Amino acid sequence: MNLHQPMNWARLAPGQSDRYAAQPFSDPQHALSEVDVNAIRSAGFDFVRLTIDPGPFLQLTDKDLANLDDLLLARVQQLLRANLTVIVDFHPNPQVKAYAPDAFVGRGDPDVPRAHLQMLQRLAPRLAALDRCHVLLEPLNEPPSAANAKGAADWQAELEAQYSAVRAVAPQLRLVLPGGQAGWISGLVRLDPRPFRADRNVLYTFHYYFPFEFTNQSNPAMPWVAPLAELRYPARRTSLVESLNESRRRLARSKLSAQDQRRELMRAARIATAYWRSGFGPATISRDFEQVAAWARRNGVAPDQILLGEFGVVRNDGPYAGAADPDREAWLTDVRREAERRGYSWAIWQYRGTGGMGIAEATRGYDIDPMVVRALGLRLVKSPPAGDQARASTSR
């Protein structure tokens, strides 16, 4: 389970667009209540991937920074007390340009990658001291390296530097290492794991949201899929007539000019038709995951060292107009089953928050959607008593 809301998209200082507040996660929006934690645990999840906005950890200084470090440790301890294993995932976002994802791979201030390494060295031993078995560190989420040989080589060098920095101060802390190209399969299979092969405290991760035209249909944050509607899964269940009629209705309600509406509708027609023709379905997912399996076999990486770190579908309720529930359930089920069939751990995106993929919402009392629980093969259980150490380090 990905937990994105408590320590990401940090609060900014009043009237500032490039400065973080001294207490960037102290507002109600960033609260992590026992209700949240118990909801996650009672749904059957046994680990969380806690995403961390690294910007404040690089910008704040002195007492503010010390307090921030302590808050991170306190949040991890709160989750550990609920018998949840915790992946601490440093997860940049574009809110403050100086600390946007590109900056962490050398496409901005050259001091940012160096400060990132220093941050990892400062925090890694403190995380390891909490619980060496049930706390993991993911140094950087979805590294935005170029999709070519140079991009792969640049990310390889940066990842090796991160690995070495952590291992110098936390030799046994479990690490989660991504490939480049935003963490997609294409980036992982370009990664050379030989520098880390002897280290059994290393996991490798990839993310899966394919095909975007289905999983992110109508998502306003992704303009190229925003006009899409009524795309079904598997792809051949889609009625192109119904899809384009709904796209036409939604565009008519938009503020676009008539000319722009026609242009967007034509684009939606091209994408929807290509999706239908692709025949995307369970066999496609299996072929995609086979790329990971082949990479692992070539490099001596065991299945239990692989984590599907993110997957999800924009839902169709409230303000969101994504996939219909039956199709969302089918896609989530097929992806989860494919990961389990190959022995991979997995973490769905996300508990709650903006974007339409949250599986629990305040309007439902933070209850996790039973459809999602079913799709993930989980069952609602009574939370175990605090202190029970019978914890798994991965989720099935």
Side-chain angles (χ1 to χ4, degrees):
M1 159 78 77
N2 279 272
L3 193 54
H4 188 52
Q5 153 267 336
M7 295 200 70
N8 218 297
W9 289 90
R11 191 163 54 94
L12 299 179
Q16 301 290 314
S17 62
D18 60 353
R19 302 295 302 176
Y20 296 103
Q23 295 180 309
F25 304 113
S26 63
D27 56 310
Q29 175 186 334
H30 291 98
L32 180 60
S33 72
E34 291 306 315
V35 173
D36 293 316
V37 175
N38 289 336
I40 292 168
R41 196 68 183 94
S42 64
F45 294 98
D46 57 22
F47 84 97
V48 296
R49 181 172 177 258
L50 178 64
T51 79
I52 310 297
D53 185 345
F57 290 84
L58 303 188
Q59 188 182 84
L60 297 182
T61 59
D62 303 328
K63 184 178 180 180
D64 292 335
L65 179 59
N67 289 339
L68 185 59
D69 286 356
D70 289 345
L71 175 63
L72 169 58
L73 274 289
R75 289 277 167 85
V76 174
Q77 287 174 312
Q78 180 184 6
L79 294 163
L80 289 172
R81 286 194 299 271
N83 305 307
L84 290 162
T85 292
V86 184
I87 298 173
V88 175
D89 158 47
F90 284 102
H91 195 113
N93 65 62
Q95 180 177 218
V96 174
K97 184 178 180 181
Y99 304 107
D102 280 356
F104 288 81
V105 293
R107 298 183 197 156
D109 184 344
D111 287 338
V112 170
R114 287 194 292 270
H116 180 217
L117 294 181
Q118 293 167 359
M119 177 195 70
L120 294 175
Q121 288 200 306
R122 184 179 78 246
L123 290 170
R126 297 189 68 185
L127 291 170
L130 292 179
D131 188 324
R132 186 174 62 81
C133 294
H134 295 104
V135 177
L136 296 84
L137 174 62
E138 186 172 341
L140 189 65
N141 173 69
E142 295 187 350
S145 65
N148 54 38
K150 183 179 185 305
D154 289 347
W155 172 241
Q156 182 80 31
E158 185 62 36
L159 184 61
E160 290 181 26
Q162 294 172 9
Y163 174 84
S164 297
V166 173
R167 280 291 172 256
V169 295
Q172 300 299 316
L173 179 63
R174 299 174 72 194
L175 297 178
V176 179
L177 305 182
Q181 296 180 40
W184 305 135
I185 289 173
S186 56
L188 180 62
V189 299
R190 284 178 175 265
L191 183 69
D192 181 359
R194 286 178 296 180
F196 326 114
R197 184 178 291 164
D199 191 342
R200 284 293 297 176
N201 286 320
V202 164
L203 277 68
Y204 302 91
T205 188
F206 69 99
H207 296 173
Y208 194 79
Y209 292 101
F210 295 114
F212 277 96
E213 54 267 37
F214 169 74
T215 62
N216 280 271
Q217 60 186 293
S218 301
N219 185 348
M222 301 179 69
W224 72 278
V225 295
L228 299 174
E230 299 290 340
L231 296 185
R232 308 296 302 276
Y233 172 83
R236 289 295 173 87
R237 295 186 64 215
T238 299
S239 163
L240 293 177
V241 172
E242 291 179 7
S243 174
L244 295 178
N245 282 343
E246 180 60 22
S247 292
R248 184 180 291 107
R249 284 190 289 268
R250 293 182 187 180
L251 287 167
R253 294 193 296 267
S254 73
K255 297 180 180 179
L256 294 176
S257 67
Q259 181 178 356
D260 287 344
Q261 288 182 38
R262 287 193 295 272
R263 185 188 68 245
E264 290 300 303
L265 186 61
M266 290 177 62
R267 180 168 64 166
R270 288 195 298 271
I271 296 173
T273 301
Y275 173 66
W276 186 88
R277 288 175 175 168
S278 75
F280 191 99
T284 321
I285 295 169
S286 182
R287 288 194 297 271
D288 289 346
F289 277 51
E290 177 57 27
Q291 296 179 59
V292 176
W295 171 85
R297 289 192 296 269
R298 289 195 305 272
N299 290 286
V301 174
D304 65 1
Q305 288 182 273
I306 296 176
L307 166 67
L308 170 57
E310 291 182 19
F311 66 110
V313 185
V314 174
R315 65 183 186 275
N316 192 335
D317 68 65
Y320 304 106
D325 270 359
D327 302 312
R328 185 166 166 249
E329 180 175 0
W331 186 93
L332 291 172
T333 299
D334 288 347
V335 172
R336 184 264 304 174
R337 284 178 175 168
E338 189 62 33
E340 291 180 349
R341 184 174 76 84
R342 295 179 182 275
Y344 306 160
S345 305
W346 50 259
I348 191 171
W349 184 269
Q350 60 170 320
Y351 174 54
R352 63 183 170 93
T354 60
M357 291 188 186
I359 66 173
E361 290 298 320
T363 55
R364 295 196 291 262
Y366 300 118
D367 288 339
I368 293 177
D369 186 342
M371 179 276 286
V372 175
V373 173
R374 186 169 61 246
L376 297 181
L378 301 174
R379 60 186 178 90
L380 292 170
V381 296
K382 184 178 179 180
S383 296
D388 181 354
Q389 294 302 306
R391 291 179 295 199
S393 61
T394 56
S395 185
R396 291 290 190 267

